[in-house]
Amino acid sequence: GGGGRSGVSSVVVAYLPPGQPSEYKCSFRLSSSMTFKDLLNEACAYWGLVANEYIVCDLAGSKYFATNFVATAFGVGEIPKVRLTVKNNQNTDLPVGVVREQEKYAAGIPGSKGRNAAAGGSIEMTSLKGGLSEGGGMSNFDKTLPGIKAVLDLQRQGPNNDHIPRLKFRNFVAMFLLATLTLYSVFGRRSVAFAYWSTYTIQNTLTANGFYNVVLVSDIYTYLSSSSTDSISNALYATGSASLVDYSKLVGTTRIRQVRSATTTCAREITGVTCLPSAYDSSTRATDTIGTLSSSWDIWQDDGLSQSYTGELATYDGSGYLYDFPSTTTAATFLTTISTMQSESWITSQTQAVFLSFVLYNPSYDFFINSQLSFEIASSGVVIPRATVVPLNVNMFETSAETKYLALDVFRLLIVLYFMFGMIPFEIMYVRAQGRNALAYFLDFWGMVDVGIVVTFFMAFATRFLYLKKSSSTDIFASTTHVELNQEGTYFTQSFIVDSVLGLFTLLRLVKSLRLNRRMHILLLALERAASDIMSYMWIFVPVFMGFAFVACNTWGPSLEDFRDIGVSISSLLRMLMGEFDYVAMRRVNYPWTIAFFVLFYGTFLFLMINIFLAIVVDSYRVIRMQEGYDLAKYKWNFKKLLNWALVVNCRKRDAVPARRAAARGKETV
């Protein structure tokens, strides 16, 4: 107790139930810190009412501010009596109290003193009501003073506390364990630093001898037949000169392969001219015998596409003309074989791509390193070189350390199963308690995160068990033929990427648990409120951005690599928004269109679209801030409340559905 400054220690609350002839009355003891909102909650709890459907009014029917203290609302000698009234359009417009001069000025009320009025300056509400009577009274207040009306409506809604029953301590612990174990599994299973240095060493060794200077078919011959110390022949077959094989073991044999397309009919019939198909596949590839090395050069058809490779121009399967260098190959015999192939013109105008592939094993880092040099040849004769180096483990369940991570995977599986059959059904039950369909949960951002956790875990789990357990490292070491690990390298890399995405989802789920902190809750509420407007905004942003991408592709695409197709053009425009572009090169291609494009593009996005996006987020935060209030001290939990939430509240099944939600629907609390 203690009472307030006016000496009031209790207040009488009157309530007239619908259809009843007389009022109910009850006296409530006051404390100096009790607000009218606290009184409303106690009175509604006493009579079994829903607090959001009622307001506290004076005997004349005017509403009190929810944040005002009850004990100081009554003068000396005034009877402390209030009435509990059902909300309607007439009694919720303006509360009992005052409107400050600054509010009058902002709302445009005649006679206001302006923005520099004293902080205590105000006018009585009765005077404001009188001023509005000529315009239709309080019913037209939203038209006369929409600014103040909007603020009062937000304050009347009060803070949003629906998230508290949904935040279960056991769920927080489960998500924390899943996030921790996922990150430990991702970074413990594969050292990113070791993988980087393995890739860096081999890639730089293979490309040191002018690899990226290969532009024409003749440059391919020059690169492969070089006998310099940094040549490909010395890197793979010369020991004792700090070459690759001094630090890593060459596993199996090296393979060189090319794919060819059969000629086809040209669009225009010109004598002595042949054309190639636009795409390479099983129906367009050539299979005729070439060269005098027919006894060694073979045609290997791979219709299963088990070792496919996606390049800049096309996707190639494992078929083609291939030659495996014997295990006894030296640097000299490698150069002799390349010279023989060159003399026979083994690369012709029908050649679509040439591949040189091999596998190394680094015992220090315990990585197989699948390496492939590719030379794609466009129909114009230009060569596109690419070096692909992928470190991997062909079997992730062989050593004792790998077995430890298998146990972690099983433990993570148990957590995900709890997530599937415990947490997600609870969230669906909560959504249904709000009167919404279960589908609304899966269409919500947090519902998509929950589904993403389940899907990404099983994708990574299945990939490791189904595809990275087939091969044996011992068998690969003993191989005397070519070892192809393209497919295994893809699965190995993708499993870690998917596992990392799982880590992202679990960390997002942990962010949701931080809503126990009021500031975090307000920030997330602001983002959630802005989401619908942002989605509408994207219906404007995407078509406009795509239109600029079409213009850019057709303006600079034929001359600049950064705009060679629509996909690359979209990427280049996104980088342009960050300030990354070659203006000089673009201007050289088309001067007038470059000037016009830059003015329109930056005027539209940098000054208009981006600022609209910021305005949406800022407005959402402003609205949520007014609704939630600025005094966060009363929401601060002490240790006792935190312990109660962790150990008591989470054990009560009825907390799954808030009492006020269930009562609003006319149902019994779960």
Side-chain angles (χ1 to χ4, degrees), residues 282 285 300-306 317-319:
S282 58
R285 61 191 177 196
W300 180 60
Q301 305 287 349
D302 178 23
D303 295 323
L305 305 179
S306 61
D317 58 21
S319 66

Side-chain angles (χ1 to χ4, degrees), residues 224-228 230-238 330-332 334-335:
L224 294 177
S225 61
S226 173
S227 59
S228 62
D230 56 357
S231 65
I232 183 67
S233 58
N234 285 329
L236 293 178
Y237 297 107
T330 63
F334 178 88
L335 295 177

Side-chain angles (χ1 to χ4, degrees), residues 515-535:
R515 302 185 84 141
L516 284 175
N517 181 283
R518 199 69 187 182
R519 287 184 176 85
M520 291 294 299
H521 176 56
I522 290 174
L523 291 175
L524 291 175
L525 274 180
L527 293 175
E528 290 171 358
R529 186 183 184 279
S532 59
D533 289 335
I534 291 176
M535 292 301 296

Side-chain angles (χ1 to χ4, degrees), residues 162-163 165-166 425-434 656-658:
D162 291 350
H163 63 290
R166 305 175 71 174
F426 170 81
E427 293 287 345
I428 294 176
M429 178 179 64
Y430 192 93
V431 169
R432 285 177 173 171
Q434 294 177 318
V657 182

Side-chain angles (χ1 to χ4, degrees), residues 72-131:
T72 60
F74 304 96
V76 178
E78 184 179 358
I79 299 176
K81 183 177 180 180
V82 297
R83 178 171 284 111
L84 201 62
T85 308
V86 178
K87 286 182 180 179
N88 56 59
N89 292 334
Q90 283 70 42
N91 63 17
T92 57
D93 283 337
L94 288 175
V96 176
V98 296
V99 176
R100 298 186 182 278
E101 287 294 336
Q102 291 88 338
E103 294 171 336
K104 291 172 57 185
Y105 179 81
I109 301 176
S112 59
K113 299 178 182 179
R115 65 175 73 245
N116 297 321
S122 61
I123 59 173
E124 293 297 332
M125 188 59 63
T126 54
S127 135
L128 179 59
K129 290 183 181 181

